[in-house]
Amino acid sequence: MPAIHYQVRLNQPSTHLFEVECTISKPDPQGQQVSLPAWIPGSYLVRDFARHIVSMDAMSHGKSVAIGKISKHRWQCAPCKGPLTLRYQVYAYDLSVRTAYLDGERGYFNGSSLFVCVDGQEHAPCQMTLHAPDIQGWQVGTALPAIKVNRAGFGLYEAPDYRALIDYPVETGKLDIVSFKAAGIPHRLIVSGEHQADLKRIARDLKTLCETHIGFFGNAPFARYDFMLYAAGDDQYGGLEHRNSTSLICPRSWLPSAGTETDTSRYQDFLGLCSHEYFHAWHVKRMRPQAFVEPELGQEAYTRLLWVFEGFTAYYDTLMLVRSGLMSPEEYLKDLAKTITRYLRTPGRHVQRVDESSFDAWIKLYKPDENTPNAQISYYLKGSLVALAIDLTLRSKGSSLDVLMQGLWRDYQLTGAAVPEEQMDALILKHTGHNLRKLLDKLVRGTEDPAFRKLFAKLGIDYQEDAKPAGNQSLRTAWGLQLANEQDTRIAHVYRNSPAEEAGLAAQDVIIAADGIKVSAKQLQDQVARLAEGASLKLHFFRRDTLRQCRIVKRTQTVAECALSILAEDNPLRTSWLATPKISQQRKAGKRKSGMPA
């Protein structure tokens, strides 16, 4: 019998309850404690997965064992002789890639939602038996190593320890699976949900993309890899990285269908999502901050380096598309211009440093509110633009961010070492030969903007920054507020130092009339557009259940909009930037002949 054996049953999908058993062959004779993680690696928010456990009891040799909760996610069992079996139910009705979901159409789970950790036996081998439900046609999709499974994939799986076990998401249901090889390595695209996607085309494009990533780093750190995709409605999007796979969710409308016209931009968004999570197989799942080396999953793991690990990945995800030939240089610059525009329209970029944003991910990024644009900057967003600034600065000096990334990967293969806090300056100097401390002081440890115009000029790219308000943005420029959407007069954001703030308006206020006339969102926007500069309107609005009024003045402020375009002349720096870099002889020399750090 293995040290720890989990069994998962999907007996009543309509209840959305997974039935789980955990058998511990040698429990702690002083009384075994078990716990469930509070967060899942790759998503930096305490989610308290234990709140979804409905009931739990314990048995040993056919007799009940006392079990009680001693904290929000920890249980204590009475002393007993092994084996000890825990039986519990987990409610699963979250479509996100971070938790678990079960109904009559689909079952999905991350181990961090289902599998309790046995204290003192975290490094013991684990097995998991997945029992087939009484539903015809269901299959299993997972990269978890199988021991003995049936043709549909139900049966016995194993992992070397608890942390490995919970790093393999499991998808069950009526799946569409297509296999392909990238650089000789088996890959699978596993799709659940209703869709009419052209899976052969997607697999073909993923093969090209994956080979670009593998070529970039010089080798792959896995023997197989799965893209696990749930094709959902238009309001679902996300991804989560794992060592040998990724869980993805995106609107089915983004996926190409045979015989119909493809929305190229949306399909590129999907491929960018795949690219982002695939890049993480190297950068985050192996190369990682010191704080993420076996972190305590019951509490936050703090690092100031998410701007490197998430931000750099956000930079490379779309860049790899153009290097793969899946996006034209013009399309890439258009997408990059949108990213810069979003950044320039975020006042909080001059308030919060990006290293502080990284540290505060646990309490801010995943918990946005009405003041977020005024006070915060995303480490994904600014981190990607810091990566751009580093890359273009290094290219003008004869090096690149590619050289740094390949150097970090070489270091990892040789030593398995993680990245210490406060060491990025030294690592850049070590691998590129250039000291960028002053640049990082401005962009990372300060709140300055990258010098976009100067950086792009060296690559023969024209950078334009204009104010071009449109639609709901006219209220942003004239009054400094933003509505919830184009059909709603509820205020989503009031920007700092704006006419709306001076008038006393606040987020969640609902505007109902202007100068005594009832208005819709469109009518309000049209009325403001016709209003002369310096003129005012009397607004009636509800704040909660109280009717209020104010007078607001039109004082137009500029809102940046970036545009990037390639100049006519050839530019070697631009060509090398958008082309797949060749691995240097120095890089090849650093490649391990066999084995890699865990």
Side-chain angles (χ1 to χ4, degrees):
M1 177 183 291
I4 304 169
H5 185 202
Y6 301 89
Q7 298 192 58
V8 179
R9 293 181 171 84
L10 304 76
N11 291 334
Q12 295 180 291
S14 62
T15 65
H16 317 299
L17 293 174
F18 282 103
E19 298 175 7
V20 185
E21 288 186 10
C22 173
T23 299
I24 307 162
S25 58
K26 295 180 180 180
D28 185 340
Q30 303 301 314
Q32 184 64 59
Q33 288 190 16
V34 299
S35 62
L36 204 64
W39 61 282
I40 183 170
S43 184
Y44 311 110
L45 176 69
V46 171
R47 300 182 185 277
D48 289 329
F49 300 125
R51 66 194 177 95
H52 296 300
I53 290 188
V54 175
S55 62
M56 181 181 291
D57 57 44
M59 299 285 291
S60 180
H61 297 285
K63 296 181 180 180
S64 178
V65 174
I67 182 172
K69 209 168 188 181
I70 57 176
S71 74
K72 65 178 181 178
H73 56 243
R74 183 174 295 277
W75 292 260
Q76 173 75 57
C77 297
C80 67
K81 294 183 179 180
L84 170 67
T85 297
L86 308 180
R87 294 189 180 95
Y88 53 97
Q89 294 179 317
V90 180
Y91 182 73
Y93 204 53
D94 180 359
L95 277 177
S96 82
V97 296
R98 298 175 293 264
T99 50
Y101 182 90
L102 179 63
D103 66 10
E105 304 295 327
R106 174 182 182 242
Y108 169 85
F109 63 86
N110 287 285
S112 50
S113 291
L114 259 65
F115 301 138
V116 292
C117 179
V118 180
D119 280 22
Q121 300 188 47
E122 295 87 347
H123 298 289
C126 300
Q127 291 186 352
M128 185 268 290
T129 299
L130 182 61
H131 295 269
D134 189 20
I135 305 176
Q136 189 173 5
W138 274 36
Q139 299 170 269
V140 178
T142 183
L144 184 62
I147 298 177
K148 185 178 181 181
V149 298
N150 63 20
R151 293 182 62 182
F154 292 96
L156 185 62
Y157 294 83
E158 67 177 351
D161 55 37
Y162 179 78
R163 287 185 183 272
L165 176 70
I166 65 172
D167 203 20
Y168 291 98
V170 176
E171 183 80 59
T172 65
K174 295 181 179 179
L175 309 177
D176 291 312
I177 302 174
V178 58
S179 300
F180 62 94
K181 287 188 177 182
I185 297 169
H187 289 63
R188 294 189 301 174
L189 172 63
I190 302 168
V191 184
S192 63
E194 295 293 330
H195 70 91
Q196 295 180 328
D198 184 347
L199 299 186
K200 290 184 178 180
R201 175 183 172 180
I202 298 174
R204 184 171 64 247
D205 291 341
L206 286 178
K207 171 184 171 67
T208 301
L209 180 62
C210 293
E211 289 181 341
T212 301
H213 281 266
I214 295 170
F216 175 79
F217 285 106
N219 55 41
F222 39 73
R224 54 179 290 203
Y225 192 91
D226 286 347
F227 291 93
M228 301 167 60
L229 170 66
Y230 176 60
D234 288 341
D235 60 343
Q236 297 288 330
Y237 173 83
L240 189 65
E241 70 273 10
H242 300 275
R243 286 178 68 88
N244 291 38
S245 62
T246 178
S247 282
L248 310 166
I249 183 170
C250 85
R252 62 180 64 89
S253 59
W254 290 16
L255 306 176
S257 302
T260 61
E261 186 175 349
T262 300
D263 185 333
T264 301
S265 176
R266 288 306 191 184
Y267 181 45
Q268 289 171 342
D269 287 342
F270 163 71
L271 292 175
L273 175 63
C274 295
S275 180
H276 185 99
E277 306 306 338
Y278 196 66
F279 195 86
H280 273 325
W282 290 265
H283 192 56
V284 167
K285 295 308 296 184
R286 286 156 178 99
M287 298 187 294
R288 53 193 166 171
Q290 185 65 49
F292 290 173
V293 178
E294 295 199 4
E296 168 56 55
L297 296 179
Q299 61 187 30
E300 299 87 344
Y302 292 102
T303 177
R304 297 184 185 276
L305 292 176
L306 290 179
W307 65 273
V308 173
F309 288 91
E310 291 293 351
F312 282 21
T313 303
Y315 171 64
Y316 274 106
D317 58 21
T318 312
L319 183 59
M320 286 298 188
L321 295 188
V322 71
R323 289 179 174 181
S324 301
L326 298 169
M327 173 183 277
S328 71
E330 292 78 10
E331 289 171 329
Y332 174 63
L333 292 181
K334 183 178 180 180
D335 184 84
L336 182 56
K338 290 180 179 178
T339 298
I340 296 173
T341 296
R342 191 166 73 252
Y343 168 77
L344 294 174
R345 291 182 178 181
T346 306
R349 75 187 194 278
H350 291 314
V351 177
Q352 186 185 44
R353 293 168 13 190
V354 73
D355 60 342
E356 293 175 336
S357 173
S358 300
F359 191 85
D360 282 342
W362 300 93
I363 60 172
K364 291 190 175 182
L365 183 75
Y366 290 92
K367 296 180 178 181
D369 58 31
E370 65 279 354
N371 195 47
T372 292
N374 292 324
Q376 298 177 38
I377 189 64
S378 163
Y379 52 78
Y380 285 91
L381 178 57
K382 187 168 185 181
S384 71
L385 297 177
V386 171
L388 170 72
I390 292 173
D391 196 8
L392 301 192
T393 299
L394 288 173
R395 287 179 186 279
S396 69
K397 297 175 181 290
S399 187
S400 69
L401 188 62
D402 298 342
V403 173
L404 171 62
M405 297 304 298
Q406 293 167 358
L408 292 175
W409 181 237
R410 180 171 63 250
D411 285 353
Y412 173 80
Q413 291 181 100
L414 292 172
T415 68
V419 178
E421 299 290 313
E422 314 300 337
Q423 289 297 309
M424 282 310 300
D425 302 66
L427 289 169
I428 291 172
L429 179 61
K430 171 188 173 181
H431 290 293
T432 71
H434 296 285
N435 188 339
L436 299 187
R437 181 177 298 276
K438 290 183 179 179
L439 181 67
L440 297 188
D441 282 344
K442 293 178 180 179
L443 303 185
V444 176
R445 296 178 286 271
T447 58
E448 293 188 27
D449 297 334
F452 294 117
R453 192 181 308 278
K454 181 179 178 181
L455 291 168
F456 284 118
K458 295 177 181 179
L459 275 67
I461 295 173
D462 182 51
Y463 173 87
Q464 295 294 328
E465 188 179 306
D466 300 308
K468 296 180 179 179
N472 204 358
Q473 288 299 330
S474 64
L475 297 177
R476 166 77 184 271
T477 57
W479 285 350
L481 65 81
Q482 185 172 329
L483 300 181
N485 55 62
E486 294 183 357
Q487 288 76 42
D488 194 348
T489 58
R490 183 181 301 275
I491 298 174
H493 301 291
V494 170
Y495 290 89
R496 184 171 297 172
N497 301 321
S498 66
E501 185 181 65
E502 294 169 4
L505 291 167
Q508 303 306 317
D509 290 348
V510 180
I511 301 171
I512 59 171
D515 279 351
I517 305 298
K518 180 182 177 181
V519 289
S520 65
K522 184 179 186 306
Q523 289 168 337
L524 186 62
Q525 292 160 9
D526 292 344
Q527 199 164 349
V528 172
R530 294 192 299 269
L531 198 66
E533 186 72 10
S536 65
L537 281 178
K538 183 178 181 181
L539 298 182
H540 282 84
F541 61 94
F542 275 107
R543 177 167 296 169
R544 293 179 290 276
D545 59 352
T546 304
L547 181 64
R548 300 189 179 192
Q549 64 183 32
C550 69
R551 183 162 289 276
I552 185 168
V553 178
K554 181 174 181 178
R555 189 175 71 243
T556 301
Q557 298 175 323
T558 59
V559 175
E561 181 157 326
C562 168
L564 298 171
S565 58
I566 298 174
L567 299 176
E569 69 270 15
D570 291 333
N571 184 288
L573 287 179
R574 185 178 71 236
T575 300
S576 65
W577 176 46
L578 299 179
T580 302
K582 295 181 179 179
I583 304 298
S584 67
Q585 291 301 314
Q586 180 185 17
R587 170 67 184 86
K588 289 180 179 178
K591 182 177 179 181
R592 291 171 61 94
K593 292 183 178 180
S594 64
M596 299 181 70

